[in-house]
Amino acid sequence: MKLPNKILKEIKKKCQKYWWNEKEEKKYNEIEKDLFKLLIFTILSQNTSSTNTWKAFNNLEEKVGVSPYILANADIEDIENAIKSGGLYKIKAKRIKNVAKEIIARWNGSLEWIRKSKEDEIREQLLSIKGIGRKTADVIISSIYGYKNAFVVDTHMFRIAKRLGIVEEKAGYEEVSKALANLFDWENDSNAVSYFWLLAKYICRAKNPRCKECPLKNYCKFGRDK
Ligand code: SF4
């Protein structure tokens, strides 16, 4: 199933108000230009809200700094204290330090090789580093090659894919990623996936999904059965 243009426009109209504020959007665009920062931002976003992710990232940048050499040499307690607001801070601090050390050991502290590599190679290399999972790797790949080649799946995307009925309840990351990528024809608005994500988060929310007002209600197994 492909989502018609008309529906994508409705989703955009419905979710426009949830779009990131100008300051956050500008800052995220800056982060995206630095693949190491993007990697750390994505690790910090694991299992927490975007508000907490921003707090943790900004604090880390201000109190410690975000570069492979700074983080590899920083005291783990300093990283922990800086990212406390992001939740699971002890685990994340360990992951961040380990990722920084690996990037120095393998690529002299630079991730620029990623820009000249194919998706599969990037994925394989990144997944071989402890602390980097499929979602984190796909965020990096999609920042270069777009969502068509690496459709990022987080809890909101898992939930909406299952409710829509485009995957089985037991489906894993790979299956959900492919099924969601298939909803788009990739010739539409380049922000269509971002609006779809906002719909998954704010309309197709975990508790009390707002099915009656959802542009996808006629396409959705869960919405129809309600
Ligand atoms: S109809 Fe309901 S369950 Fe289906 S996508 Fe919309 S909000 Fe989610």
Side-chain angles (χ1 to χ4, degrees):
M1 171 181 79
K2 297 273 179 230
L3 292 175
N5 226 348
K6 184 174 155 260
I7 296 295
L8 294 176
K9 279 190 184 146
E10 274 180 46
I11 295 175
K12 181 175 177 178
K13 200 170 156 207
K14 182 97 205 153
C15 296
Q16 194 94 62
K17 62 176 177 233
Y18 304 118
W19 194 259
W20 295 268
N21 68 47
E22 211 177 307
K23 203 171 143 205
E24 274 180 8
E25 200 181 347
K26 199 169 159 221
K27 175 87 191 192
Y28 190 77
N29 290 339
E30 270 168 35
I31 291 173
E32 261 195 328
K33 286 183 198 145
D34 180 330
L35 293 176
F36 182 76
K37 284 189 178 174
L38 183 59
L39 197 56
I40 299 306
F41 187 87
T42 312
I43 291 173
L44 288 171
S45 75
Q46 292 162 354
N47 304 95
T48 195
S49 67
S50 45
T51 309
N52 288 344
T53 308
W54 277 111
K55 263 193 218 159
F57 184 85
N58 289 336
N59 223 18
L60 184 65
E61 214 174 27
E62 193 187 314
K63 305 266 167 60
V64 183
V66 182
S67 84
Y69 287 96
I70 289 174
L71 288 167
N73 294 313
D75 284 339
I76 193 90
E77 291 80 17
D78 290 341
I79 301 177
E80 284 174 3
N81 287 333
I83 66 169
K84 236 173 201 165
S85 60
L88 301 175
Y89 65 94
K90 281 189 182 286
I91 296 171
K92 289 180 186 175
K94 233 187 248 167
R95 276 183 194 159
I96 287 170
K97 201 167 163 68
N98 179 59
V99 164
K101 280 183 178 170
E102 285 288 333
I103 289 169
I104 291 170
R106 296 184 192 201
W107 304 296
N108 289 325
S110 170
L111 287 175
E112 283 307 302
W113 61 271
I114 287 179
R115 299 191 193 279
K116 296 175 227 133
S117 307
K118 295 245 159 63
E119 298 107 272
D120 288 350
E121 190 196 339
I122 304 169
R123 196 173 279 117
E124 192 187 324
Q125 291 288 337
L126 291 179
L127 289 178
S128 70
I129 298 178
K130 203 172 165 210
I132 298 185
R134 186 61 203 264
K135 179 191 143 193
T136 305
D138 277 353
V139 169
I140 300 294
I141 297 168
S142 66
S143 75
I144 295 163
Y145 290 105
Y147 277 92
K148 186 181 177 184
N149 299 289
F151 200 104
V152 180
V153 181
D154 64 359
T155 49
H156 306 300
M157 290 297 206
F158 261 112
R159 183 174 64 247
I160 197 167
K162 291 181 183 182
R163 283 179 173 169
L164 284 170
I166 56 172
V167 290
E168 296 289 324
E169 204 47 45
K170 292 186 299 221
Y173 187 100
E174 186 81 29
E175 213 180 321
V176 174
S177 175
K178 280 195 179 136
L180 287 172
N182 275 336
L183 291 177
F184 299 84
D185 66 15
W186 302 106
E187 280 163 19
N188 295 301
D189 181 353
S190 60
N191 286 328
V193 175
S194 302
Y195 284 112
F196 182 85
W197 182 81
L198 291 171
L199 180 100
K201 182 173 182 192
Y202 294 103
I203 308 292
C204 192
R205 53 197 186 189
K207 280 187 195 160
N208 304 321
R210 294 154 61 189
C211 298
K212 281 199 179 81
E213 53 179 292
C214 177
L216 295 177
K217 58 180 178 291
N218 295 325
Y219 296 82
C220 176
K221 187 172 175 293
F222 184 96
R224 276 196 307 265
D225 292 350
K226 259 178 85 107

